[in-house]
Amino acid sequence: MNIQDLVGEYNIIGSNQDEESHDYKGRLVLSLDENTRVVAKWTINTNQEQAGTGFFKNNILVINFRYSGEDDNVYKGVAVYQCVSKDILDGFWSEKHGNPLYLGEERCFRIKTNTELLD
């Protein structure tokens, strides 16, 4: 795989970094900037926006992310994905002020366009 293979939109399912592992769903959009670095934008449960940048090597994608919480505090963390294929990312994440005893988990599934479905 190469970094260009990751560009696209993904449905995500995940669980939070807490003892109860609260589940969530959302969408992840991956693009590349002018320096061929990964730009990530998440929408969690249709209303929480998160953004980050990262890099890709040996089928591992690492993204440093940040978002504003409902309490107006800025939260930061890192997400690490094993790129199982061009269409499936299997990852985990941790926030700076999250519970250090747990990791969040996330699986991403590429959303196919009508053109891709015909190929």
Side-chain angles (χ1 to χ4, degrees):
M1 279 182 60
N2 62 53
I3 196 166
Q4 289 80 10
D5 292 332
L6 298 175
V7 172
E9 204 168 334
Y10 299 80
N11 283 319
I12 57 174
I13 56 172
S15 60
N16 283 319
Q17 183 184 354
D18 56 26
E19 185 174 6
E20 294 83 24
S21 294
H22 291 105
D23 294 336
Y24 62 86
K25 292 181 181 180
R27 189 160 289 197
L28 170 63
V29 177
L30 297 178
S31 60
L32 301 177
D33 69 11
E34 64 277 357
N35 298 311
T36 318
R37 295 198 37 108
V38 176
V39 176
K41 293 185 180 178
W42 290 264
T43 303
I44 305 298
N45 293 333
T46 70
N47 62 347
Q48 184 184 79
E49 300 290 327
Q50 300 184 10
T53 58
F55 48 93
F56 176 76
K57 185 173 181 176
N58 296 332
N59 292 342
I60 303 290
L61 175 61
V62 178
I63 302 171
N64 293 299
F65 66 87
R66 65 183 295 143
Y67 67 96
S68 295
E70 293 174 357
D71 56 6
D72 291 327
N73 288 326
V74 174
Y75 294 89
K76 299 177 183 180
V78 64
V80 179
Y81 298 97
Q82 173 68 48
C83 301
V84 177
S85 72
K86 293 189 306 186
D87 298 329
I88 300 173
L89 311 177
D90 187 23
F92 60 91
W93 56 269
S94 179
E95 289 181 5
K96 181 177 180 182
H97 297 293
N99 188 332
L101 299 176
Y102 302 94
L103 290 172
E105 295 184 8
E106 202 165 89
R107 288 206 89 176
C108 308
F109 305 91
R110 182 180 299 276
I111 299 170
K112 300 273 190 174
T113 65
N114 287 339
T115 304
E116 289 172 316
L117 293 173
L118 296 174
D119 289 343

